[in-house]
Amino acid sequence: MWWKRLSEKSFDLAVEQFIAEHPHFTFQTFLGYGSYGRAYLIEASSSKQQYVLKCLRPKHRRHQKTIDKFKQEIHILQQLPLPYVPSIHTTGAIQGIPFYIMDYINGQTFEQLIFQDGAKFTVAQSLAITKQLLAQIIAIHKHGIVHRDLRIPNILLVNQQLHIIDFGLATTFKPNIDLATIDNPKQAPNHISDLYFIGHFLLFLLYSNYEPRSQKEQAWQHELHLPMDVQNFLERLLWIQEPFTSTLEALQSIPH
């Protein structure tokens, strides 16, 4: 059976062959992979505009739950006609493995900016970036979606504007959840999850400008020496203090 023989390397060749059979596009390069998907850069033959072809990893091709999750990601992206979320243009299957083609966001992730380029962000800059991110997440929540993976590899900067990618863990927003029933804020299907991730995102920005004063590692509250209103804001995002009741409240509470 073909599915027993299909390795990821041979599937890469299948993707290249698939693109070669569709003259509207040309294959550019393999971009990388995550837990569930593989991504390839392709280019429109006429306009030279670049796109990303994302498909399920071959090892998951017989896992119906994972297939359903991948298809849910497609459905979620189709519900988000927002300028900072990639739009889907085509869906299909290659050797029975689902894929979709979406916009290519030509920017740098905050992971690249901080750890490759050595970018440093002041407290004021970090709060301004967080404010922009919160405003974007409010719009996503209004469309009934929670991202649940707002980490530094999934947030890009393009001409000082943020873009959000990788909705593989996104789910439908469920209002009116009793916070006492939430065991893991990362997985909460409401604003708590996204705010928790935004708290850690903000910490990465703030630590980019941190110079250790001793070899002994301490809690971030002691290492960063933040203004008290910024520390309190962070602790509410991170569930250390009473959490915000909504993303809008978090945005309205961001220190100036």
Side-chain angles (χ1 to χ4, degrees), residues 177-247:
I177 294 177
D178 183 354
L179 299 187
T181 65
I182 297 175
D183 296 324
N184 184 351
K186 291 182 179 181
Q187 298 177 2
N190 67 353
H191 67 283
I192 291 296
S193 173
D194 284 347
L195 291 185
Y196 187 79
F197 275 104
I198 289 173
H200 284 279
F201 172 78
L202 176 53
L203 274 178
F204 271 104
L205 298 182
L206 294 169
Y207 264 106
S208 70
N209 213 21
Y210 170 69
E211 296 292 340
R213 299 179 182 179
S214 69
Q215 294 183 345
K216 184 179 179 180
E217 187 174 328
Q218 297 179 301
W220 62 266
Q221 292 95 329
H222 297 289
E223 290 184 333
L224 293 177
H225 301 286
L226 299 169
M228 189 52 63
D229 58 347
V230 177
Q231 179 174 316
N232 290 336
F233 176 73
L234 254 171
E235 289 188 349
R236 293 191 70 185
L237 292 175
L238 296 170
W239 259 40
I240 298 170
Q241 292 190 37
E242 181 182 356
F244 293 108
T245 59
S246 68
T247 314

Side-chain angles (χ1 to χ4, degrees), residues 1 41 76 82 97 166 214:
M1 296 291 290
L41 184 65
I76 284 173
L82 300 170
I97 296 176
D166 199 344
S214 69

Side-chain angles (χ1 to χ4, degrees), residues 4-255:
K4 289 183 178 179
R5 302 191 306 269
L6 187 59
S7 68
E8 303 224 318
K9 185 169 291 188
S10 62
F11 184 70
D12 290 346
L13 295 175
V15 172
E16 288 193 52
Q17 180 62 33
F18 177 84
I19 295 300
E21 294 170 357
H22 293 75
H24 299 302
F25 293 103
T26 56
F27 184 89
Q28 298 294 301
T29 187
F30 170 64
L31 290 174
Y33 66 92
S35 299
Y36 300 104
R38 293 177 73 79
Y40 310 83
L41 184 65
I42 62 177
E43 185 178 87
S45 302
S46 56
S47 67
K48 302 302 180 183
Q49 186 170 345
Q50 294 182 314
Y51 298 89
V52 173
L53 185 151
K54 183 176 179 180
C55 63
L56 192 68
R57 291 183 67 177
K59 69 177 184 178
H60 298 303
R61 63 194 176 277
R62 297 177 65 206
H63 302 160
Q64 191 58 48
K65 186 176 181 180
T66 307
I67 293 171
D68 291 343
K69 187 66 178 174
F70 187 82
K71 291 181 177 179
Q72 177 179 294
E73 179 181 353
I74 294 173
H75 179 66
I76 284 173
L77 284 172
Q78 290 172 332
Q79 294 181 70
L80 294 174
L82 300 170
Y84 45 84
V85 174
S87 297
I88 288 183
H89 299 275
T90 306
T91 64
I94 299 173
Q95 296 191 5
I97 296 176
F99 77 86
Y100 62 87
I101 294 176
M102 63 179 170
D103 294 331
Y104 172 62
I105 309 300
N106 189 13
Q108 288 181 290
T109 70
F110 278 86
E111 183 177 53
Q112 293 170 327
L113 287 167
I114 294 171
F115 292 107
Q116 293 183 17
D117 296 354
K120 297 182 183 298
F121 301 95
T122 65
V123 172
Q125 290 171 329
S126 299
L127 292 173
I129 292 168
T130 301
K131 183 176 182 180
Q132 184 183 157
L133 180 58
L134 283 167
Q136 293 182 350
I137 293 302
I138 286 173
I140 291 174
H141 289 177
K142 286 181 178 179
H143 280 81
I145 302 299
V146 187
H147 188 280
R148 297 201 303 180
D149 199 18
L150 294 170
R151 297 177 297 113
I152 54 174
N154 294 334
I155 303 171
L156 292 86
L157 188 64
V158 184
N159 298 323
Q160 303 307 310
Q161 295 296 312
L162 304 185
H163 291 255
I164 301 170
I165 61 171
D166 199 344
F167 284 72
L169 296 180
T171 191
T172 303
F173 191 104
K174 295 181 180 178
N176 305 319
I177 294 177
D178 183 354
L179 299 187
T181 65
I182 297 175
D183 296 324
N184 184 351
K186 291 182 179 181
Q187 298 177 2
N190 67 353
H191 67 283
I192 291 296
S193 173
D194 284 347
L195 291 185
Y196 187 79
F197 275 104
I198 289 173
H200 284 279
F201 172 78
L202 176 53
L203 274 178
F204 271 104
L205 298 182
L206 294 169
Y207 264 106
S208 70
N209 213 21
Y210 170 69
E211 296 292 340
R213 299 179 182 179
S214 69
Q215 294 183 345
K216 184 179 179 180
E217 187 174 328
Q218 297 179 301
W220 62 266
Q221 292 95 329
H222 297 289
E223 290 184 333
L224 293 177
H225 301 286
L226 299 169
M228 189 52 63
D229 58 347
V230 177
Q231 179 174 316
N232 290 336
F233 176 73
L234 254 171
E235 289 188 349
R236 293 191 70 185
L237 292 175
L238 296 170
W239 259 40
I240 298 170
Q241 292 190 37
E242 181 182 356
F244 293 108
T245 59
S246 68
T247 314
L248 178 60
E249 185 192 9
L251 176 62
Q252 293 172 338
S253 303
I254 196 165

